[in-house]
Amino acid sequence: MDMLVVQGGRPLSGTVYVDGAKNAALPIMAACLAIEGSVSLGRVPDLVDVRTMTLLLSSLGVDVQASGENSVVIDASSAGSWVAEYDLVRRMRASICVLGPLLARFGKARVSLPGGCNIGHRPVDLHLKGLAALGADIQIVNGYIIAECNRLQGAELSLAGPFGSTVTGTCNVLMAACVAKGRTVIRSAAMEPEVVDLGQFLIAAGAEIRGLGTSVIEVDGVDGLHAAEYQIVPDRIEAATLAIAAAATRGSVLIPNAPVDDLHQVLEMLKAAGVDVDVSCAGLAIQTSKVLTSVDVVAQPYPGIPTDCQAQFMALLTTVKGRSSVRDTVFPDRFMHASELLRMGATIQRHSDMAEIEGGTKLTGANVMASDLRASAALVIAALAADGISCVRRIYHLDRGYAKLERKLSTLGAIIDRVSDNEPGRPHYLQHINQQNEMPTGRASPPRSDGSSSANDHR
Ligand code: UD1
């Protein structure tokens, strides 16, 4: 298993580009199931979750071929199975995105229930309610969703849930509605940019959709979707993560292709904390020339601050003097990262759906364990800001949603290496980490996986 070893305390500096959005790429790939023709997708991020979706589509008989860097061609003409097995679905919740397209294509689907995960209870009742409103007969048997319909029928439905709308639920219903007979009106639809991107892709494939990006989406069903070419939107969560990392290290970073319109609230919050945020035709520029101030962050459905940025904000706020808070209204239990941040010397108190952070005491490097995708990013940010060496373990979570993050951070001047937990150099390495308290701060340097030192290396 790989881990990231980070020597903190260096401001990030330079220019970095983000990849395509994971949360747009996954439903768009799934939507190809409903298209009998060849789809060419660009800016597909090289992520473990994308590879899992590729495996899942292949298991259904879809042809998925890489065609150059970050491009794939997907042809579902020969798809023949409507069964998404537990073994693949359990690896990634977004596998549920095949449910709507399978129903649209075959009039039946058997998809394993994805189950819970480390960020809290994650039911799919709203997905099922929406698809049932379109005429699907749905049962849960032996851990599988079994759905059947003759032809899907357009309907008026609402996807409002106790924590807002549902992003992948809106995607599922949207994909099914495109080929349903007649008009569908989805109320309380998710407004996230990734849903908009899926909708734009479906329009490129012949769908008739209005109201994307609002809470009411109208779809006039068509008889079939056709071949298309599409570029996935750049990843707003990756851009936010890099911007927050720049602020946490008091650095200065330019992200030329950041989707700034989708980051409005994130950027406003960074500004409120005293970060210099400049949006121009050159892209998103983050600078931290002033002393930062404490802020209260509330994660909400779009256009609010995304729950997927909550952990990264928490890491930043541990570095800011004074009392800040982070509240998550979407996943109220998503605070596993807080206890790992404590290991680095942070002061955080959890109260229900909120955490209070008493920031400003310098974090110190430590061994920490990632619990989920965005928690991993938060721990890397904290490690970059901390004094000394940190070792972030279980980074397979990170690889699900960030393509080669350590390489991007290295180009910004971070000292960060990916090493295998099992490789022969490990004992020497751990000794190095364990001894760091005896070493003068800021002078220790992690050995690389090839055994060489990366001290004073400005990669
Ligand atoms: C998507 C994103 C994830 C992000 C989340 C919230 C993908 C692949 N993943 O996940 O990164 O953190 O949106 O922005 O796009 N809920 C119900 N019933 C349902 C569905 C959801 O009660 O049927 C609840 C959830 O428990 C949660 C809230 O609604 O509290 C939002 O969940 P949802 O938007 O569905 O998250 P995902 O689509 O799974």
Side-chain angles (χ1 to χ4, degrees), residues 27 96-104 124-136 138 152-160 165-180 182-190 195 198 202 207 209 212 217-221:
I96 190 73
C97 290
V98 299
L99 180 59
L102 282 176
L103 263 178
V124 291
D125 56 311
L126 297 171
H127 300 233
L128 305 189
K129 178 184 148 192
L131 293 170
L134 299 183
I138 301 178
L152 291 163
Q153 296 286 329
E156 287 216 21
L157 58 102
S158 163
L159 293 178
S165 186
T166 162
V167 174
T168 48
T170 303
C171 293
N172 256 328
V173 176
L174 180 60
M175 292 184 279
C178 285
V179 293
R183 178 167 297 178
T184 297
V185 180
I186 308 172
R187 299 194 187 278
S188 295
V195 176
L198 168 67
L202 291 167
I209 303 171
L212 289 169
I217 300 179
E218 272 188 22
V219 186
D220 282 324

Side-chain angles (χ1 to χ4, degrees), residues 188-251:
S188 295
M191 300 190 286
E192 270 66 7
E194 295 77 16
V195 176
V196 175
D197 209 41
L198 168 67
Q200 299 292 2
F201 164 70
L202 291 167
I203 290 170
E208 292 185 16
I209 303 171
R210 293 173 297 282
L212 289 169
T214 76
S215 63
V216 182
I217 300 179
E218 272 188 22
V219 186
D220 282 324
V222 294
D223 285 336
L225 300 173
H226 54 67
E229 282 186 23
Y230 195 75
Q231 283 269 331
I232 312 270
V233 71
D235 197 324
R236 67 187 169 117
I237 308 296
E238 188 191 0
T241 301
L242 291 164
I244 294 170
T249 59
R250 308 302 187 259

Side-chain angles (χ1 to χ4, degrees), residues 22-23 26-27 93-94 97 119 121-128 161-169 192 194 236 307-308 329-332 334 374:
K22 169 182 89 74
N23 288 351
L26 297 174
R93 270 194 64 88
C97 290
I119 68 173
H121 182 49
R122 296 181 79 178
V124 291
D125 56 311
L126 297 171
H127 300 233
L128 305 189
F163 303 103
S165 186
T166 162
V167 174
T168 48
E192 270 66 7
E194 295 77 16
R236 67 187 169 117
T307 170
D308 285 353
T329 67
V330 180
F331 291 113
R334 191 177 197 173
R374 306 304 169 184

Side-chain angles (χ1 to χ4, degrees), residues 143-157:
Y144 278 77
I145 302 162
I146 299 184
E148 280 186 2
C149 59
N150 290 320
R151 176 154 183 206
L152 291 163
Q153 296 286 329
E156 287 216 21
L157 58 102

